[in-house]
Amino acid sequence: MSKYNPLWNWIKENGTDSFKLNYSEIETIVGFPIDHSFLTYKKELIQYGYKVLKISMKEQTVAFEKTVE
């Protein structure tokens, strides 16, 4: 079980094809500040049918997209 499972489950339940979350929204969902480990853990998201499309440090957002099955 990953520390980001609450986020992955939230994304799966959201069901939207593509969307952005800002860092603050992600931190609220997972319960801790987002850090560099996110770059390692993001590959787990593919198991939930999504991928990280873009991480913007400037805008402090992460874009997600549903994968094609």
Side-chain angles (χ1 to χ4, degrees):
M1 183 170 173
S2 159
K3 68 182 189 176
Y4 285 99
N5 276 0
L7 177 61
W8 308 154
N9 288 321
W10 186 94
I11 290 169
K12 184 178 178 183
E13 291 174 11
N14 179 43
T16 306
D17 286 346
S18 64
F19 59 95
K20 283 184 184 180
L21 293 174
N22 64 42
Y23 290 2
S24 178
E25 291 168 321
I26 293 171
E27 291 170 1
T28 298
I29 294 166
V30 297
F32 56 84
I34 190 171
D35 58 23
H36 285 96
S37 72
F38 182 79
L39 298 173
T40 302
Y41 285 101
K42 71 178 185 171
K43 62 186 169 205
E44 298 174 344
L45 186 54
I46 199 79
Q47 300 169 19
Y48 293 81
Y50 284 84
K51 64 182 178 182
V52 172
L53 192 61
K54 181 180 179 184
I55 299 172
S56 172
M57 301 297 284
K58 183 177 180 181
E59 295 177 8
Q60 294 194 340
T61 60
V62 180
F64 300 92
E65 182 177 70
K66 191 177 254 188
T67 57
V68 178
E69 296 180 18

